[in-house]
Structure formats: C-alpha cells, structure tokens
Amino acid sequence: MRLKLAIQKSGRLHDDSMRLLKECGIDIANGVNKLKAEATNFPIELFFLRDDDIPQYVEDGVADIGFVGENVVYEKAKKVDVAYALGFGKCRLSFAVRKNEEFTGASFLANKKIATSYPVLVQKYLDAHKITAEIHEISGSVEIAPGIGLADVVCDLVSSGSTLFMNGLKESETILESQAVLIKHKNFSVEANAILERLMFRMESVKKAKKNKYVLLNAPNDNIEKIISLLPGMKSPTVLALATPGWSSVHSVIAESDFWEIIEQLKAAGAEGILVIPIEKMIL
Ligand code: PRT
Ligand code: ZN
C-alpha cells in the first residue's frame, strides 16, 4: 500500500512541504501540475489540493495524512488528529485595530464589526469572553475592511506585520499561534501506521539535525577536562591526539539554542581553531 499525503498545491506551504519530503530522502516522480504524484523510493502518494480542503479530505480518508496550517485545522474543526508539528508556516491569528485606537482587551470588541476569514475561531474567542460582536466573513484582503468602512476590527493571520502596518492597522491580541502540522485520519490500518512511523522518524531526524551543529576544535590537554564539561555530545565528545604534543582535537554536537554561549566559554577555556559544521541528519 501507499500512504496518501495531501499537501497544498500552490501557496505558502507548498515549497516547504516539498522540501521537507526531499530532506527525508523521498523523491517525487511527476510534476506538481497534476493532481497526484508518487514517490519513487518510498510508499507514499501525494495529492495537491487547496489548503482549505485538506482537513475534509483527511477526515473522509481520501487522504490518510495532510500537511496544513493549524489555523485551517482548528477553523475547519474536522475530525482529524494532529500528529506532528512540522516547524514551518509559522504565523499568528490576531485582532488588529486602527493605529490611532486603543485596544483595551476583549471588551473592546463588544458590538464591533469584525472582518475575518476565521469566523469559527473568532466566535470561540468571543464566547470565551462572553462578548457579542458582529462577524463579517471575508475570504481575502481582510486588512482593507476598516479602510472601506466594512469593519472596525480585523482578525487575520500575521507574520511580519507589514500588511497590517501598510493598511494603518496595529496588531492587538493574538488568539492562535500557528504552524504547519501533520494531520491524520482517525482510523489507521497497522500497515498505514507503519509507513507513517517511518516518515515521522525521518522528519524527526531532519528536525533534530537543524537544531544542532557539529563542532571540531583544538584544545590544550591541560584544559581538556574543562572543555569536555562544556560539550555534552551525543554520548560524550570524541577526543583525538593532535600531532603537536600537548594538544587534542575535540569533536562534539551542540544545540543551536546555546551555541554562542558555549562557543564563548570554549574560547575562554583555551579552545582554538573551532570549526562549526551543519548536520544533515541526526539519528539517536
Ligand atoms: O490556494 P490556497 O487556498 O491553498 O491558499 P491560501 O491562499 O488560502 O493560503 P496561503 O498560501 O496564503 O497560506 C497558507 C498557510 O500559510 C496559511 O493557512 C497559514 O497557515 C500559513 N501562513 C504563514 C500564512 C502567513 N504566514 C501569512 N502571513 N498565511 C497567510 N499570511 C498572509 C496573511 O493572511 C496576510 O494577508 O500574509 C499577510 C500577512 O503577512 P505579513 O508578513 O505582512 O504580516
Ligand atoms: Zn486557502
């Protein structure tokens, strides 16, 4: 069998979805102009769809899994499971008001007109805060609604914030932090699950590799204990003698998040010739 994966046909998530598959060593045969494509070296078949349709296809089992933004998953509220965070397509769903207005909290929205493409999520927020407001659902260019008098407030996706800024609006309150996720059909056969496990194992290796760097450095033997204590490594660092007496070469893996701090401490401990190399895959 082949696992059927739905991804966005074109748009913001398409390229990152294809790149992730490639990084997982999965080669896709035909072009994306078709509705379907097959991988040549992995039991997976791709469906190219509009992102809005992906949750429905996965609920119905027409696709087994899909890559789609959490914003779409929660707005559509279909019966699917969110199985894995993919780490791309990051954005937030936020309220925005005219830049000269003061957003004083949820109560500011009472009896206002709110333009959004996310009526379900906005209504949920209003209900949670026991507020009544009028929601105008529009499918695109939400940010122009206040300018043309259609709404007082918008609730839209934001990443850099420049769209809001250019339309004289300011972001006021975030109601959802979103990224692309892997969703799956509720009922999975043992066979389908085994393929999904293989795919997720590869995605996790790619993700871990991006978060870590391989470091090589030269260290005076006198300080080697101190330097090793700064480097956790996968098990423990590799230490090899250099041709120069009294010096060793130390190899290890360090997390991107504490990268600069560790490098500074290594330098202070006498490390020299530090080389930092990206890791392609990391299997623990
Ligand atoms: O054709 P199809 O229906 O498949 O695509 P689409 O046009 O509905 O979606 P698309 O391709 O625009 O976005 C797909 C997904 O990307 C969204 O569902 C989000 O999960 C994610 N994503 C991440 C974003 C953004 N960032 C984003 N900035 N989706 C939209 N935007 C828009 C936003 O709506 C606003 O118009 O970008 C503008 C704001 O960007 P900044 O940088 O100016 O703040
Ligand atoms: Zn869409």
Side-chain angles (χ1 to χ4, degrees):
M1 76 161 287
R2 286 181 173 273
L3 198 67
K4 294 188 276 297
L5 163 63
I7 70 165
Q8 195 187 24
K9 182 171 171 58
S10 63
R12 285 167 198 265
L13 302 182
H14 175 83
D15 290 352
D16 285 332
S17 301
M18 294 300 283
R19 183 155 36 101
L20 178 58
L21 293 174
K22 198 169 182 217
E23 287 169 340
C24 290
I26 297 172
D27 297 328
I28 308 302
N30 18 14
V32 297
N33 291 328
K34 309 220 168 65
L35 172 68
K36 289 202 295 184
E38 281 190 2
T40 51
N41 57 355
F42 195 81
I44 202 165
E45 184 178 7
L46 265 56
F47 286 82
F48 301 107
L49 301 168
R50 286 203 54 195
D51 66 344
D52 315 70
D53 297 334
I54 291 175
Q56 183 72 61
Y57 275 78
V58 173
E59 180 182 296
D60 295 344
V62 175
D64 301 300
I65 57 173
F67 290 174
V68 65
E70 286 173 286
N71 50 303
V72 174
V73 178
Y74 299 129
E75 177 66 22
K76 302 288 175 193
K78 299 292 175 196
K79 294 187 195 71
V80 297
D81 290 332
V82 174
Y84 191 76
L86 296 169
F88 58 82
K90 289 189 176 161
C91 58
R92 47 201 190 271
L93 182 62
S94 294
F95 285 110
V97 299
R98 292 185 184 93
K99 64 170 186 273
N100 56 357
E101 276 178 319
E102 184 79 35
F103 182 85
T104 46
S107 60
F108 177 89
L109 300 168
N111 306 316
K112 293 272 193 329
K113 286 186 193 160
I114 306 168
T116 187
S117 306
Y118 294 86
V120 172
L121 292 173
V122 171
Q123 190 61 56
K124 247 193 199 155
Y125 177 91
L126 295 174
D127 291 347
H129 292 84
K130 300 193 169 53
I131 283 163
T132 310
E134 201 182 310
I135 298 175
H136 281 261
E137 181 179 354
I138 41 182
S139 57
S141 303
V142 170
E143 65 281 355
I144 66 168
I148 59 174
L150 184 70
D152 312 301
V153 181
V154 303
C155 189
D156 198 11
L157 297 176
V158 185
S159 43
S160 69
S162 61
T163 302
L164 293 179
F165 181 79
M166 285 187 308
N167 286 279
L169 301 173
K170 66 178 178 198
E171 190 176 357
S172 314
E173 168 119 322
T174 295
I175 65 171
L176 178 74
E177 298 277 355
S178 180
Q179 64 171 302
V181 288
L182 186 158
I183 55 170
K184 67 184 272 229
H185 181 63
K186 285 275 181 192
N187 296 313
F188 244 60
S189 69
V190 173
E191 208 182 347
N193 210 47
I195 303 172
L196 178 59
E197 290 287 324
R198 284 177 66 200
L199 177 64
M200 294 206 328
F201 177 79
R202 292 189 188 193
M203 292 194 299
E204 190 60 18
S205 304
V206 170
K207 197 190 263 184
K208 279 206 195 90
K210 282 189 183 154
K211 283 190 188 151
N212 290 279
K213 299 275 182 248
Y214 193 74
V215 182
L216 299 106
L217 57 86
N218 295 332
N221 287 348
D222 292 345
N223 283 0
I224 207 99
E225 292 298 324
K226 165 86 180 143
I227 285 173
I228 287 173
S229 72
L230 295 169
L231 292 168
M234 296 232 266
K235 277 210 165 61
S236 72
T238 308
V239 181
L240 302 163
L242 284 189
T244 314
W247 283 79
S248 297
S249 167
V250 180
H251 303 195
S252 191
V253 172
I254 60 181
E256 180 87 73
S257 51
D258 357 288
F259 178 75
W260 286 111
E261 206 170 306
I262 292 183
I263 294 291
E264 282 159 18
Q265 292 174 25
L266 289 170
K267 280 182 68 187
E272 289 180 8
I274 305 173
L275 297 181
V276 180
I277 301 164
I279 300 170
E280 195 181 288
K281 307 278 185 314
M282 204 163 142
I283 292 129
L284 300 178

